[in-house]
């Protein structure tokens, strides 16, 4: 097996990873960044981003990520295509394997592996992914202008997606398995005040219906039996899961699987391992907050190495 030693290894390539790369490169830590399965992360699945400061006209998600990558590369970061497949944090330098074959020693590691949308796990949902089943209203809502759609879930994300879709679509059903919404009061209010959203409380999705054209309905069950609703699109908004499978034996995670960082810093329970972005943040989950935490991790990492 090839072996290589690096000062700072960054795992993951969303806004947190690229920002950490920009800062550590400028600090002369010669960072090596592995992009992972989805280079650019979740933002590459969105279209227009209007709330990332510095882009008064907005910018597309893929373009924003490409810009961040180019900036990191220009400043000297070594950005590589590859997936970290195992880690050993038991001693420093840490030992990491990439793509199951390349061995690497790293003095410090910044974990920026992000989070992914959860799905219901139905076979029919899987079948119509990209053909009417989506987990991102801002990415795909545009395709359902003037049509009827459903959002599944009752949290803040579901409410946000439903109100966004209501501005484009003729009608939005919210399919909520309990008899209440988990979302904040303010978000619930927004949903209730939107005339073309109908909340179906106590409804569980049994099947996504469709044909070769894509989705055309949902089969639902409630306490009194089953019903079918006709629609053109289904947006699953039942939360996210952090991409921490790789680290679950080696680092402290919270009850939802997110990496625990010290308050106000990116430090994990392992000295020399830092975490940034959605992998340690279930609450804000914004490109700008992820980028900000990538900067924090880079500074923490630099100070850690200086103190050695
Ligand atoms: P949540 O975990 O808060 O909510 C998930 C929702 O999906 C719940 O209603 C849950 O139902 C439902 N659900 C989960 N699994 C299933 C399933 N298998 N079938 C049907 N329904 C299911 O996730 P969110 O993504 O909404 O929010 C995550 C965090 O991000 C929260 O802290 C939230 O406040 C925050 N956030 C804040 C925003 C803002 O402030 N603007 C915007 C978006 C998110 P049940 O209640 O029955 O478990």
């Amino acid at each position: 097996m090839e072996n290589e030693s690096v000062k700072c290894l960054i795992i993951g390539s969303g806004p947190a990873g690229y920002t950490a790369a920009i800062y550590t490169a400028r600090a002369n830590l010669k960072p090596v960044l592995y992009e992972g399965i989805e280079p650019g992360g979740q933002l590459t699945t969105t279209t227009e981003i209007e709330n990332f400061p510095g882009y008064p006209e907005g910018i597309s998600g893929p373009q924003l990520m490409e810009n961040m990558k180019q900036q990191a590369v220009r400043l000297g970061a070594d950005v590589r295509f590859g997936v970290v497949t195992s880690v050993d944090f038991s001693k420093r330098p840490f030992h990491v394997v990439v793509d199951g074959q390349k061995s690497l020693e790293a003095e410090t590691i910044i974990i920026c592996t992000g989070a992914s949308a959860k799905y219901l796990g139905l076979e029919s949902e899987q079948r119509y992914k990209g053909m009417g089943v989506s987990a991102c209203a801002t990415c795909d809502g545009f395709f359902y202008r003037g049509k009827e759609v459903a959002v599944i879930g009752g949290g803040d994300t579901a409410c946000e997606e439903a109100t966004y879709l209501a501005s484009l679509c003729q009608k939005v059903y919210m399919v909520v398995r309990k008899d209440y919404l988990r979302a904040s009061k303010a978000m619930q209010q927004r949903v209730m005040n939107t005339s073309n959203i109908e909340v179906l409380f106590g409804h569980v999705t049994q099947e996504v219906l469709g044909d070769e054209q894509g989705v055309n309905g949902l089969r639902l069950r409630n306490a009194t039996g089953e019903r079918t609703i006709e629609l053109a699109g289904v947006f699953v908004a039942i939360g996210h899961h952090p991409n921490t499978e790789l680290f679950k034996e080696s680092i402290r995670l919270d009850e939802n699987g997110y990496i625990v960082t010290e308050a106000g810093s990116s430090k994990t329970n392992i000295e020399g391992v830092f975490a940034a972005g959605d992998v340690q943040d279930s609450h804000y989950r914004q490109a700008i907050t992820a980028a900000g935490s990538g900067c924090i991790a880079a500074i923490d990492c630099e100070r850690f190495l200086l103190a050695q």
Side-chain angles (χ1 to χ4, degrees):
M1 236 187 217
E2 281 181 70
N3 214 341
E4 183 186 3
S5 287
V6 301
K7 227 178 209 175
C8 173
L9 176 71
I10 300 168
I11 309 176
S13 58
Y18 287 141
T19 305
I22 289 168
Y23 273 76
T24 49
R26 291 191 83 243
N28 208 23
L29 302 188
K30 302 192 172 14
V32 169
L33 180 151
Y34 278 97
E35 291 183 303
I37 296 167
E38 191 181 24
Q42 285 187 82
L43 282 189
T44 58
T45 65
T46 66
T47 49
E48 198 68 1
I49 297 176
E50 292 184 325
N51 54 7
F52 199 92
Y55 296 94
E57 307 302 326
I59 183 166
S60 80
Q63 188 61 57
L64 178 61
M65 297 324 299
E66 186 55 29
N67 289 357
M68 286 191 195
K69 176 177 172 174
Q70 291 311 325
Q71 192 173 353
V73 168
R74 185 177 70 80
L75 293 165
D78 184 349
V79 175
R80 302 177 184 174
F81 189 68
V83 178
V84 172
T85 44
S86 81
V87 294
D88 179 359
F89 293 162
S90 60
K91 59 178 193 313
R92 278 211 312 133
F94 307 113
H95 185 249
V96 164
V97 177
V98 181
D99 294 332
Q101 49 177 343
K102 183 181 163 55
S103 206
L104 232 120
E105 308 256 274
E107 280 180 57
T108 59
I109 294 183
I110 303 178
I111 302 173
C112 307
T113 48
S116 305
K118 284 187 195 164
Y119 284 89
L120 298 168
L122 299 171
E123 188 275 321
S124 55
E125 170 193 54
Q126 187 65 30
R127 191 178 331 134
Y128 293 113
K129 253 189 208 172
M131 286 180 68
V133 171
S134 165
C136 178
T138 40
C139 321
D140 300 324
F142 181 78
F143 303 116
Y144 301 93
R145 277 181 307 172
K147 298 184 177 166
E148 301 203 355
V149 298
V151 173
I152 300 173
D156 279 321
T157 304
C159 290
E160 216 169 63
E161 304 259 278
T163 44
Y164 172 75
L165 288 165
S167 67
L168 296 170
C169 303
Q170 193 195 340
K171 174 158 187 170
V172 181
Y173 293 98
M174 270 188 84
V175 181
V176 181
R177 65 180 173 183
K178 294 208 173 117
D179 57 2
Y180 60 88
L181 293 171
R182 190 197 286 201
S184 59
K185 284 281 170 287
M187 289 305 292
Q188 293 189 29
Q189 213 61 55
R190 265 172 76 179
V191 164
M192 297 308 171
N193 290 339
T194 306
S195 59
N196 60 340
I197 299 179
E198 182 183 347
V199 185
L200 303 174
F201 286 110
H203 281 71
V204 175
T205 306
Q206 301 292 100
E207 188 183 0
V208 180
L209 305 171
D211 55 24
E212 60 284 351
Q213 308 292 319
V215 168
N216 58 27
L218 270 185
R219 184 162 60 81
L220 305 171
R221 181 173 48 76
N222 67 7
T224 58
E226 282 200 347
R227 65 183 284 197
T228 297
I229 51 175
E230 285 181 18
L231 40 72
V234 176
F235 291 84
V236 184
I238 61 170
H240 288 74
H241 62 83
N243 299 320
T244 50
E245 191 60 23
L246 183 63
F247 312 107
K248 66 175 194 242
E249 307 299 338
S250 27
I251 209 161
R252 187 176 302 146
L253 306 178
D254 71 12
E255 65 280 9
N256 297 317
Y258 287 84
I259 294 177
V260 176
T261 47
E262 234 175 65
S265 93
S266 64
K267 293 178 188 163
T268 69
N269 66 312
I270 314 272
E271 270 201 10
V273 179
F274 306 90
D278 288 10
V279 75
Q280 51 84 61
D281 170 22
S282 62
H283 194 71
Y284 298 104
R285 303 194 293 108
Q286 301 298 303
I288 188 69
T289 51
S293 76
C295 161
I296 289 172
I299 292 173
D300 285 343
C301 180
E302 185 188 354
R303 289 185 182 158
F304 172 81
L305 285 168
L306 270 178
Q308 295 299 298

